[in-house]
Amino acid sequence: MSSALRIWHPFTNGALDPAPLLVRKAEGVYLYTADGRKIVDAISSWWVNLHGHANPRIGEAIAQQAKKLEHVIVAGFSHEAAEELAVRLRKWAPRELTYMFFSDDGSTAVEVALKMAVQYFQNLSRPGKTEIVALAHGYHGDTAGAMSVSDESPFTAPFQSMRYNVHRVHSAYCYRCPVGLKRESCHIECTNQLEELLKQRGEHIACVIVEPLLQGAGGMIVHPVEFLQRVRALCTKYDVLLIADEVLTGFGRTGKMFACDLANVVPDLMCVSKGITGGFMTMGVTLSTDRVESAFRSENRMHTFYHGHSYTGNALACAAANANLQIFEDEAVFDRIATIARIHGERLSHLAEMHQVGEVRQIGTMGAVELVANDAGYLSALRSKLYGFFLQHGVLLRPLGNVVYVLPPYVIEPEELHHVYDVITEAIETLL
Ligand SMILES: Cc1ncc(COP(=O)(O)O)c(C=O)c1O
């Protein structure tokens, strides 16, 4: 009998996928494996790492916090690291978002927002407003509610019975426009379907959830800002709450602190996670307007939001988040982001000329290449071939099927990012 449990890895098939690589240590953009490899983490370890692995400032902040207070129940109690984070986030978040509710990760931040939206209308004695609208190609996490608002995919296929019904409307996937138009001449007609739905069922709809400007796991699909602006306007018109899932886009990923800032849009609820702790600790936060929270502040105890997780508001995670935001204040983070964006732009424009490339997409620190494939989608056979090629060449990239994307930590040096693109170019030339 083996002396240890075997780790069941996520998104990994024990029969088909290579054995996981053992990472001994990491520093900056590099992972160092037990078998002596040095690998560039060009996807920030599932989009969480901002200022480099083992960033000493964040590490030290956690160590100091651990000596003082590791965790305390945050129902009936609070603590200094959480209070400090509330002040820091206030500086960066859209002004109208005045409350923050802690959870554990991106999925739970989404679950919280959805439940808040539904209970909000119940608390206002409008119990008929319970339905939820979500976008085609959306991804919001793997828990049951987050999976329900995510679009159908290989991730959700076995769980149809567990997914609740939502209204699914077009997203602005311009490369494969859902209404057959061209971006150069369109007027965001893809939102007409949402307007029709809200016109007909607005009285029953509680919220619309979107990944603002960038749909991540659905294929790194970049939306025009007008799409988000129109969705906001329609939500306001039909008295429906807008939930912005900024779990991926938050903390500088799109070039501004939040994607909503780029479009000058203020959602009613905003979910953040991933980058909030700089990639060190797990934490989710759902921000809300005063208007939403005030429906829960009531003489009626049944108006309470009865939701919470054991590790909610964890002090070590708060300390990491505070250190992360301090780095945004002290260091030239947005200059680094601008440099990454510039290099993405240069390199993608060359890749766009290759016949194997269908479309290139970019927003801020995210650069993506959609490759031409007759089996386009997450299960494209290209995925494993490319993944293996990249790793052999010392680069961690996890293509979403036939979509290769680069989403590096902000500390990546220009020559390191160019190297990542050199490897991508070689992979396309060799494998396609
Ligand atoms: C937009 C978005 N929402 C939610 C999630 C879920 O976050 P987590 O994996 O931390 O539960 C993700 C994860 O990739 C995401 O990209």
Side-chain angles (χ1 to χ4, degrees), residues 11 17-18 46 371 375 377-390 397-404 431:
F11 290 87
D17 293 320
W46 261 337
L371 297 166
D375 61 349
Y378 189 80
L379 296 182
S380 169
L382 279 175
R383 191 208 164 268
S384 340
K385 285 193 223 163
L386 289 162
Y387 179 76
F389 186 97
F390 295 140
L397 288 166
R398 279 180 68 92
L400 295 158
N402 58 314
V403 177
V404 177
L431 300 176

Side-chain angles (χ1 to χ4, degrees), residues 47 105-108 110 139-142 211 217 245 247-248 273-274:
W47 322 341
D105 49 37
S107 302
T108 51
V110 166
Y139 175 78
H140 300 282
D142 293 339
E211 288 161 88
D245 175 354
V247 167
L248 159 60
S273 180
K274 292 201 186 271

